[in-house]
């Protein structure tokens, strides 16, 4: 038996589980995370980041924005430059979905902009064996860093005895007002402003 409880050990050693967000980009090289989807209809949007010189924040749109749309929404913030160089804006398609993170034992928001993960999740969802996505767990692993980063998504059978914990955590989050659409207005999905 370890010195720390499983929960404490996971909290101390895990990365990519910042608060209410499961951030797969922050997984260590060779790291992985296991989660259960809580919705089979993710929130789809476009995202770009802006800075006002002292802070940065995301701006999200429920449509593909033009540079003019971005400038209007950002106000005093300057958009992050795109890979096209000066004058371009880094706008990415993204999804966000509530998940149960097995490492933290909490409900979190999984936001995905990585095309490889999006393609794998979509491919899995179209396989007859995985028609009921909410009945499966998923494991995302990361290999490499920077431009050589590779992600792998695998469906795995639901952990035995986990459904009760998942249901209880989801019931608590929804009864406290969880609403993922608040992301579109820059709000916190876990609590109303």
């Amino acid at each position: 038996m370890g010195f720390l409880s499983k929960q404490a050990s996971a909290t101390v050693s895990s990365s990519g589980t910042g608060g209410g967000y499961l951030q797969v980009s922050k997984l260590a090289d060779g790291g992985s995370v296991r989660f259960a989807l809580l919705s089979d209809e993710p929130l789809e949007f476009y995202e770009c980041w802006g800075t006002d010189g002292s802070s940065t924040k995301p701006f999200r749109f429920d449509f593909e924005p033009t540079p003019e749309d971005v400038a209007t929404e950002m106000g005093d913030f300057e958009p992050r430059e795109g890979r096209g160089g000066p004058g371009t804006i880094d706008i990415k398609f993204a999804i966000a979905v509530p998940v149960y993170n097995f490492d933290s034992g909490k409900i979190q928001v999984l936001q995905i902009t990585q095309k490889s993960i999006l393609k794998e999740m979509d491919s899995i969802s179209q396989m007859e064996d995985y028609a009921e996505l909410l009945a499966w767990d998923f494991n995302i692993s990361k290999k490499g860093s920077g431009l050589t980063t590779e992600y792998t998504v695998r469906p795995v059978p639901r952990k035995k005895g986990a459904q009760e914990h998942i249901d209880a955590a989801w019931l608590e989050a929804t009864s406290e007002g969880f609403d993922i659409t608040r992301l579109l207005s820059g709000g916190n999905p876990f609590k109303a402003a």
Side-chain angles (χ1 to χ4, degrees), residues 36-161:
L37 293 172
L38 299 170
S39 172
D40 55 6
E41 295 182 14
L43 178 66
E44 297 179 355
F45 55 94
Y46 291 85
E47 178 182 76
C48 56
W49 285 77
T51 182
D52 66 357
S54 61
S55 63
T56 60
K57 73 176 196 174
F59 291 84
R60 298 179 179 104
F61 302 83
D62 60 358
F63 58 93
E64 187 169 7
T66 65
E68 293 78 22
D69 295 329
V70 171
T72 300
E73 183 68 23
M74 285 193 175
D76 292 337
F77 281 72
E78 290 292 321
R80 182 182 292 167
E81 186 175 282
R83 289 189 177 165
T88 63
I89 301 173
D90 187 19
I91 302 171
K92 293 183 178 181
F93 175 77
I95 67 163
V97 63
V99 298
Y100 177 82
N101 180 335
F102 284 96
D103 288 342
S104 68
K106 295 180 180 180
I107 303 300
Q108 293 185 314
V109 172
L110 172 61
Q111 181 175 317
I112 304 170
T113 58
Q114 298 88 345
K115 288 182 181 179
S116 61
I117 297 174
L118 291 168
K119 287 178 183 177
E120 283 196 62
M121 292 293 293
D122 188 48
S123 177
I124 292 166
S125 74
Q126 295 180 40
M127 295 177 167
E128 189 176 320
D129 291 343
Y130 305 109
E132 183 55 47
L133 290 177
L134 304 186
W136 292 86
D137 293 347
F138 291 86
N139 191 59
I140 294 180
S141 58
K142 179 181 176 184
K143 182 179 176 187
S145 63
L147 296 175
T148 63
T149 302
E150 294 178 19
Y151 294 97
T152 305
V153 181
R154 296 289 179 259
V156 292
R158 174 69 27 97
K159 273 190 173 184
K160 290 183 179 182

